Amino acid sequence: MSDPINVLLVDDNPLVLSSFRQYFSTTSDITVVADAANGREALAELALHDIDVVLADIHMPTMDGPTLLEHINELDSPPIFVAVTAFDSDRTMRRILRLGGAGYVLKSEKPQILIDAIRSATDGGMVVSAPAMRRLVTNLRVDQPQRRVDPIDEALKLQTLTNAEKNVLVLLCQGMSNSEMAEELAYSESTIKKYVSNIISQFGATSRLNLVVKVLNADY
């Protein structure tokens, strides 16, 4: 059995910390080692514990999440950083991702999304909540230079995807979540997850976000 994933929770709301502890207590592979009320306290905890993942709020007094991430990046062996927030904004999301954050998750998400985000982050992936992902995809399209070919069409031609996987890729590039794709295509969520995993592998991507960026920013 592999070692548990050691997590540090960072949030200035005690109720949130308590709720998150409860979420992760239902798992056998994730352990909450410590918690902190702000970035400064988090840095002190990092000096005391062996932490794999920091799950941190963005808006906190004394030191906020993005500033904490900047300090974490200066450590010799920085833990993985996953941001969690109740106040979603494109500017903050882009800052977190630009600084190397492995996730950007809304507090309104179901507990399983947070659990999956921690697991995915330790596997080298990246998780972005569906609403934020949808906006990010839209921004990527807007930022594209005008082309004579559609990058998604070209990607579909270059990869040996099944028809079902092609349909999933198109919806992925629209920013849809697994549940939304399952409803749209009349598949189970487990089937959608399998297709997404296969597509990510074929494109040599590290996560669904990295896949979308690869497809939409590809130079064909």
Side-chain angles (χ1 to χ4, degrees):
M1 183 175 179
S2 59
D3 293 333
I5 302 168
N6 291 336
V7 175
L8 168 64
L9 302 177
V10 190
D11 199 294
D12 60 323
N13 187 333
L15 182 59
V16 171
L17 292 176
S18 176
S19 296
F20 285 1
R21 277 187 174 276
Q22 180 61 36
Y23 296 165
F24 296 122
S25 70
T26 64
T27 71
S28 60
D29 58 334
I30 300 175
T31 300
V32 176
V33 175
D35 59 50
N38 56 61
R40 184 173 296 172
E41 289 185 11
L43 291 175
E45 293 293 342
L46 286 173
L48 298 174
H49 303 283
D50 181 17
I51 302 297
D52 299 308
V53 180
V54 175
L55 181 66
D57 188 17
I58 291 176
H59 305 283
M60 297 178 291
T62 310
M63 182 188 293
D64 63 13
T67 304
L68 169 60
L69 178 52
E70 290 177 343
H71 284 283
I72 286 176
N73 286 339
E74 295 173 355
L75 299 177
D76 291 335
S77 299
I80 297 165
F81 186 93
V82 175
V84 60
T85 181
F87 305 102
D88 185 22
S89 75
D90 289 345
R91 181 178 180 182
T92 304
M93 173 181 61
R94 285 174 175 263
R95 185 181 177 192
I96 291 295
L97 298 180
R98 188 173 61 249
L99 287 169
Y104 182 86
V105 185
L106 304 184
K107 289 182 179 178
S108 57
E109 294 281 16
K110 296 178 181 179
Q112 190 61 46
I113 299 296
L114 282 171
I115 293 170
D116 289 344
I118 296 296
R119 290 170 175 162
S120 177
T122 57
D123 284 337
M126 181 180 292
V127 175
V128 176
S129 288
M133 178 74 163
R134 194 172 291 114
R135 295 198 318 275
L136 183 61
V137 168
T138 299
N139 290 337
L140 284 172
R141 284 186 172 278
V142 171
D143 291 343
Q144 287 178 24
Q146 292 299 316
R147 295 172 177 163
R148 291 175 295 175
V149 297
D150 184 276
I152 299 177
D153 288 343
E154 292 304 301
L156 293 175
K157 293 176 185 177
L158 294 174
Q159 297 296 327
T160 56
L161 303 177
T162 65
N163 288 334
E165 289 170 342
K166 290 178 181 179
N167 292 333
V168 169
L169 177 60
V170 170
L171 297 183
L172 263 176
C173 290
Q174 293 175 12
M176 283 195 180
S177 65
N178 286 348
S179 60
E180 290 171 331
M181 288 189 288
E183 182 176 355
E184 177 74 17
L185 299 174
Y187 293 138
S188 67
E189 284 196 48
S190 61
T191 298
I192 292 294
K193 289 180 180 178
K194 179 180 178 181
Y195 286 148
V196 171
S197 178
N198 289 343
I199 297 168
I200 287 174
S201 177
Q202 286 205 45
F203 277 85
T206 56
S207 67
R208 59 194 297 145
L209 175 61
N210 181 243
L211 168 68
V212 172
V213 171
K214 274 177 171 285
V215 171
L216 295 183
N217 283 348
D219 185 14
Y220 298 111

